[in-house]
Every structure is written in structure tokens, then in C-alpha cells.
Amino acid sequence: MIRLSVRDPEFAARFDTLVNARREADANVSFDVLAILSRVRAEGDTALRDYTQAFDGHDLEASGWRIDTAECRAALEGLAPDLRRALELAAERITAYHEKQRPADRDEVDATGVRIGARWRPVEAAGLYVPGGRAAYPSSLLMNAIPAKVAGVERLAMVTPTPRGEVNPLVLAAAALVGIEEIWRVGGAQAIGALAYGTRRIAPVDVIVGPGNAWVAEAKRQLYGVVGIDMVAGPSEILVVADADNDPDWIAADLLSQAEHDPTSQSILFTDDAAFADAVAAAVDRQIATLATGATARASWDANGAIILVERLIDAAPLIDRLAPEHLELAVTDPEPLFAAVRHAGSIFLGRHTPEAIGDYLGGPNHVLPTGRRARFSSGLSVLDFMKRTSFLGCSAPSLEKLGPAAVALAEAEGLPAHARSVALRLGQ
Amino acid sequence: MIRLSVRDPEFAARFDTLVNARREADANVSFDVLAILSRVRAEGDTALRDYTQAFDGHDLEASGWRIDTAECRAALEGLAPDLRRALELAAERITAYHEKQRPADRDEVDATGVRIGARWRPVEAAGLYVPGGRAAYPSSLLMNAIPAKVAGVERLAMVTPTPRGEVNPLVLAAAALVGIEEIWRVGGAQAIGALAYGTRRIAPVDVIVGPGNAWVAEAKRQLYGVVGIDMVAGPSEILVVADADNDPDWIAADLLSQAEHDPTSQSILFTDDAAFADAVAAAVDRQIATLATGATARASWDANGAIILVERLIDAAPLIDRLAPEHLELAVTDPEPLFAAVRHAGSIFLGRHTPEAIGDYLGGPNHVLPTGRRARFSSGLSVLDFMKRTSFLGCSAPSLEKLGPAAVALAEAEGLPAHARSVALRLGQ
């Protein structure tokens, strides 16, 4: 953890270093991924079977290519009642929030008499990657699948590795709750390749979403354009702005809720009170000792944690914008001034009673958010990621009379005579 | 040009071949681009100067790094009056259409008492690539720059190569009309690298848009995630559905308006009348002979053109969806049934009096559209490409009491104890 103060003579340089630090491993996986994708494209299911044997240690012909929906329903039935209710509440709230994201169509006639508009339609098929092992979260399945369902996507194909055949019952329960019926026991770059190119067994999809390791992320990046993808995801981040009126333990827990994800995660506190900063730092150390995820949290906090002292909390706004954090928590009595002043953040949590974890599970907004300063230009996952817009235009003969001559002039100036002719002929020229 | 009929016994296979034909050159440029981007990142302006000397044949220190806005204003003043009026009409119509794309913010309190919403903000800076030479179109500059302006982007940085120092006055005039004040005389992958990473002279941007050659496209693809980009663009396409009541010459001109762009462009006619198909094919041959762009159009039509005979025009809908064309023209008296039946197209042109070229210049909707079957999952350029959404959530103590226990249950089930603690502490647990 580093501590900075805007009063430090070298604050600007040290803050620059923090902003520009790259926490993403420079995993040199692009050649491996290229080879895997080429082989999946050429050999299809044979390649999937071989890679699954090699990486996940089971034979798909023996263990079964798909996970049966009956197995998912059984997992849902087998959940403890409070957990099932929690999952259902999450699904309801996420659905309600995303339903209001459905875009409106436009269909107008303008003053020139031209019919003009745009309409949105869902993609036909979406692929959903769900990691195996530690990072397999049912909440993540809900956050990725529900926007696709709300968009109206007809086919949702889930892929997930089952190392040595193991599955995660919580994830299967979430799949049953959302109504996913097509689940393939394949993972890694090979699963992404299968979804993008299609194989004999697995029909291709139009959009691929969902978190994964470096191979999965690189496969999505390489296939961007062949299919739509959600985004390039990096390690998660939280930035908490807190005054001295907070309980240091609450704020420490908030910082640790990101730190416990991964050693590359980042937690940053902005405060205007040095004693409060000390108290939070002490609380972090105290809490880590009692966390089952303490080793990960410790590694993250030591390597990437930061506490930054500012004169007044509002002064943090331009610094926050440079960091463009994935999650921004405004733990103050009146968050409005900072809320209005900050421009770049993936999601903002307002006030002392909105820990970021509420948003991870069941606030409603999506928890798939831009990381690594990408909130400067990108947004969280939404219904729009599963839809596309078709614009349209309809001229009558009279409205074409009005617009046509300008189009002819521009086409001729650009040296495109067939463009000009296609209009001129209709003008009787 | 190939001719197919749904009555051909091998129609399905031949149509599959047409759908899956890749017209994009497999330009093996990724290593070149990787090297150029690395050098621009490391050496900045020195690399730009060297590459510009090597590729464009002029020394930026001698010829000037920037094109002066006075030069742009002079180009605008120097336009023929009808051309200037045409450019202004185009800019007005494009602006009016895109202004209605501005997304609405949301800010509500739900039944649980949780404040929940999302707000949109523009990115701070956008980079606009404008090709030099043949493909430098003022219409393209308007289509790329106006959505950024409408979004509220404060800084628009244009880059354009000026081979041997040459500039295109029409493009400069369009830049003056839109109000672009920062124009750099650099092009190629090196210009994209400069916009993404920034150099001493050129500040970095958040989003890069605009057409370019294979190097430019690959540079954007490689930098996707470092910055936002518009899309992966391929050769342009038109698909015309026409009945026998059309003038074959009008339809031939429409097909040629895409064919004249590039030998890799594609023009496809669907019709239900064999004699009309013959008449259009003859008109295409006749018109090519008189076009200044005839050689290009000939190459495109011969290699990639197609005429497909269907029983009834409505039967074309599922075939159109498989092709997911960039431009779809419905040259029939009542386009509504096909308009309703087709799902995948970048932009649709309704009726006999809406040649696609109107949309290229001044219909209003954007002419930057998905190609290569990408209309299955992506949309034309819009104001949204220059904005990003921040979701937000605000719980009061009472609303956290309602949601908190479910979040704790889910966090514990996922093995994330700090997530659970950040909520539990606030519940007094």
C-alpha cells in the first residue's frame, strides 16, 4: 500500500505513476491462442475433445459434451432456502433494472417528407463463458445472461470448463434460474473459438460475453469482429472517498471486498483526514487476519492499495477522473457534489449505506464494468450489447427532388459517378 | 457475377458459398503494425517523423506538423457555391438525425427505497482518421465527426496523411464546416498509435474512429481496449431487392454505386423476374462502359456481383438475413412486408425513390455501417460511440436492511467473506 498526500512535493509524479501502473499480467498467450483458434476452426469437435482431455483432464465422449438441464434444476432444488431466495431476489432486481434499458425505435417523417428512423433488434444467439474453479460465480452468470434474455436473444449457449469433470452446483442453479438450456462442458480459448466459428455440435453465436482467464480474454480479443464481444476486462478496482465520520471498519471492509478477488485487484481510499486514514489502514490489517481470503487480499493491498490524502474531498474529483475507476464509493453524508463533479467511473455507490458488494449481487445495475481506466470511454454490460440498430430512410419522388441535387453534387465532387447517376436517373436527368 | 436461382438443385450449397466468401484481403500486416505501434509508443514524435518521411515522402519539421485552420477555412470559402450548399445541407441533416440519438439519463427510487439509475457522459477526446488519396471523402469526415460533436466531445483530433505534402481541399473544407481545429499531417498505423498512446505533441484520445487501409484497421484492432474504436470495417456492400416494375437502369446504377468503391465491394440483386434480371445485367455492362470508375466497378461486379432469382420477393428475407448486408434497398412499391421480415441489415432504403447514395451523403443516418455480415451483431456509428454510461446506486439504512441479508448470503456462498462483511457490518452484524 502506498500513501500519498496532495501536499507531497512530488505528488503529481507519484500520482501519475499510480494512474499509469499496469496491473494486468503481460501474459504472452497470443500465439498459443492463435494456434488453438486455428485448430478449432479447422477441426471442430475433434479439437475440442483433444484440448479438453489435455487441459481439463476428461474425455468429453465419456463424460458427456453437455450438462443436462435436469442437473441444473436439481442443483436449484437443492439450494438452501435462504440462498435460493437471495438468488431469486438478485435475478428479479437485475431483470427489472435491465428491462428499462430496452432502446426505443424511431420512425418519423421529417420536414422534407423523408421517412427516417432506426429500429433495434436482438442478436439471434449469444455465447456465455462461465469460468470453472475459483472464479465461477453465480452472480456473474446472472449479470451476463439476464441482459441477453431481456434483449430477446433466442439462443443462449453457455460454455464452462469442468476440470476433471467437476461442476459448481451454485452455477448450475443460477443457470436453471435464468433458463439456460444449452451448456457445453468446454472452456478456455477453444470454447470461445467453438462459439465464434461453430463446430458440428455447437452452432455459432453472434456475441460472446463473460469473464475468463488470460487465454479466454485473448481469444475474445482476437475474434472481435468475427463476433461481438462484451469488452476487454482487467483486474477489478474500487475507489472509496470517505470522510472521518465513517466507521473505519466499514471502509476497510469495502477496500478488502475488491482486494480479496485477486492479487492484481486494486483498492484506493481518498480521505481528507490523516487520522482516519491511519484508522482505516489499521482496520485493513486487522480484518485481513480473519479473512479466509486474507492471503489474496494481503497481496493485493500490499502491491496495489493506496491511501490518498486531499485537502477537501471535492478536490478528489479530477484525480478520480484520471483513475476512471470501475467502482466508486462516495461514503459521505451528502454525495451530491462529488457525484456531480466526477465524470469517469463504471458505477457509483452513493452514501455511507451503499457498500459496493450490494451492486455486485442485487442492486440491479450490471456488475460487468470497465476496468483499467476504460470507464473513460466504455460502459458496463447492458441490453444494448445484445442488440443492434438498423437505420432506415424512405424518400418519395418529391422528397428525392429536394435532396437529390445536393447528393449528385457531392458524389461528383468525390469522384463517384455511379453514386451520382443512381440519383440523377431518378431525377429524370 | 454469378447468377443463382432458388430453383437450382444445388442452390443451398451455392448460396452458402456466397454467404461465406471472404472478400477481405488476408493482408499479413499484424507484425508490421505491432512494430510500428511499439516504436510510436517508445519514441513518440521521432517515430512519427521517420515514418512520415518513409511512407509519405515529406519531412514534418519542414512541411509542418499541423494543417492550419486558416487553410481549412480558405478551402471552405473556395468551394463552388452549389457544392458548399450541398455540404451544408448534409451537415444539417446528419446533425438533426444524430441529435435524436442522445441517450436519456435515468434516476429513480425503486419500491425498496433504493436510488438507482444511469447517466451518460461524452468522452473527453476523440481521434478521427481521414485517409489520404482516393478514399478521402468529405462525406466520411462529416459522418465521423458530427456524432462526436453532437455527443459533446470537447476535443476532436484529426489525423490524415498528406503524401508528398498534398492535401485534399474538399476534406479541409468539410473540416472547417464541422469546426475541427486540430489536424495532424500523419497517417497510417503510426497515426493511430500516436492518438492512442499520445506523444509529446499529440495528446492521447479516448476513442478513435474513421476509415483507413489494412494497416490503419489492424492498428485500431490491436489498440481496442487501450482506446474505444468504431468497428472493424470491411469492403462495402449493397443488396437490392427489385421487382420487374423498376427501370433496369436505376437498379444497375444502384448496384454500381457500391461496385465503384473498390474491387472487393459487393453488389447483389434479388428479383423474382428472370427477364428483369437479364435487363439489369445488360444495363450494368452498358453503364460500366461510360463510368470513370468503370475498371473498379467491372472488377468488383465480375468477382463479387450476384443476381439471385427467387419465387416471390418475400422469400428473399431469410436469405437476406444470412447475408446481413451493410445496405439493403427495397425497390418495390410497398416495401413494408420485406421491411418487417428482415432482421439483419446495417441500413435499409425503402421504395423505388431511395437510392442508397442518398444515405451516403445526406439522408441523415450514419453511413459508417457494419460490413461482412456484422450487421448480425453490430450497428452503424452513432452518438453512443462517443459516450459512456455510469450506473449508480444509493441505499439508505432502511433499504440496505432489506437487501443486505441476501447479499451476505450470496457473498458467503461465493466464498467472498470481505464482500459479506462490508454489508454485514452496516447491518450491525
Side-chain angles (χ1 to χ4, degrees), chain A residues 115 119 124 154 254 257 260 290 336 339 342-345 352 354 380 389-390 395 419 421 426, chain B residues 115 119 124 154 254 257 260 290 336 339 342-345 352 354 380 389-390 395 419 421 426:
Chain A
R115 181 175 172 193
R119 68 179 188 197
E124 292 184 24
E154 291 95 334
D254 297 348
S257 74
E260 74 176 339
T290 68
E336 292 308 314
F339 184 46
V342 168
R343 178 161 169 181
H344 305 309
R352 303 187 201 283
T354 317
R389 192 184 51 240
T390 298
C395 291
H419 283 66
R421 184 183 284 166
R426 288 172 168 89
Chain B
R115 181 175 171 193
R119 68 181 188 196
E124 291 185 22
E154 290 96 336
D254 297 348
S257 75
E260 75 176 338
T290 68
E336 290 308 314
F339 184 45
V342 168
R343 178 161 170 181
H344 304 308
R352 303 187 201 285
T354 318
R389 191 185 50 241
T390 298
C395 291
H419 283 66
R421 183 183 284 167
R426 288 173 168 89

Side-chain angles (χ1 to χ4, degrees), chain B residues 359-372:
Chain B
D360 282 342
Y361 294 113
L362 40 57
N366 211 286
H367 80 194
V368 180
L369 294 166
T371 57

Side-chain angles (χ1 to χ4, degrees), chain A residues 409-415, chain B residues 71-72 75-76 78-80 83-84 87 130 136-139 141-142 158 167-177:
Chain A
L410 288 165
E412 283 173 351
E414 289 191 349
Chain B
E71 197 176 339
C72 298
L76 184 62
L79 284 187
L83 197 53
R84 177 161 181 169
L87 260 191
V130 176
Y137 298 135
S139 59
L141 190 151
L142 299 186
M158 171 173 150
V167 293
N168 179 330
L170 262 177
V171 166
L172 299 194
L177 187 64

Side-chain angles (χ1 to χ4, degrees), chain B residues 58-66 162 165 185:
Chain B
H58 63 98
D59 180 353
L60 285 165
E61 290 295 330
S63 49
W65 285 77
R66 290 178 64 159
T162 58
R185 300 162 75 96

Side-chain angles (χ1 to χ4, degrees), chain B residues 174-186:
Chain B
L177 187 64
V178 179
I180 297 176
E181 298 182 342
E182 179 182 341
I183 307 179
W184 300 92
R185 300 162 75 96
V186 291

Side-chain angles (χ1 to χ4, degrees), chain B residues 267-314:
Chain B
S267 307
I268 297 178
L269 170 66
F270 277 80
T271 183
D272 56 355
D273 187 299
F276 179 75
D278 293 340
V280 172
V284 165
D285 289 339
R286 208 165 52 234
Q287 288 188 25
I288 282 179
T290 68
L291 281 179
T293 52
T296 301
R298 175 93 267 160
S300 162
W301 180 243
D302 287 355
N304 305 309
I307 296 181
I308 299 172
L309 206 63
V310 288
E311 296 287 321
R312 298 168 312 157
L313 291 182
I314 194 74

Side-chain angles (χ1 to χ4, degrees), chain A residues 167-216:
Chain A
V167 294
N168 180 330
L170 262 177
V171 166
L172 298 195
L177 187 65
V178 179
I180 297 176
E181 298 182 341
E182 180 182 339
I183 307 178
W184 300 91
R185 299 161 76 94
V186 292
Q190 60 272 22
I192 304 296
L195 289 172
Y197 295 126
T199 69
R200 197 179 58 76
R201 288 174 186 273
I202 305 178
V205 302
D206 303 304
V207 169
I208 302 176
V209 300
N213 63 18
W215 280 260
V216 170

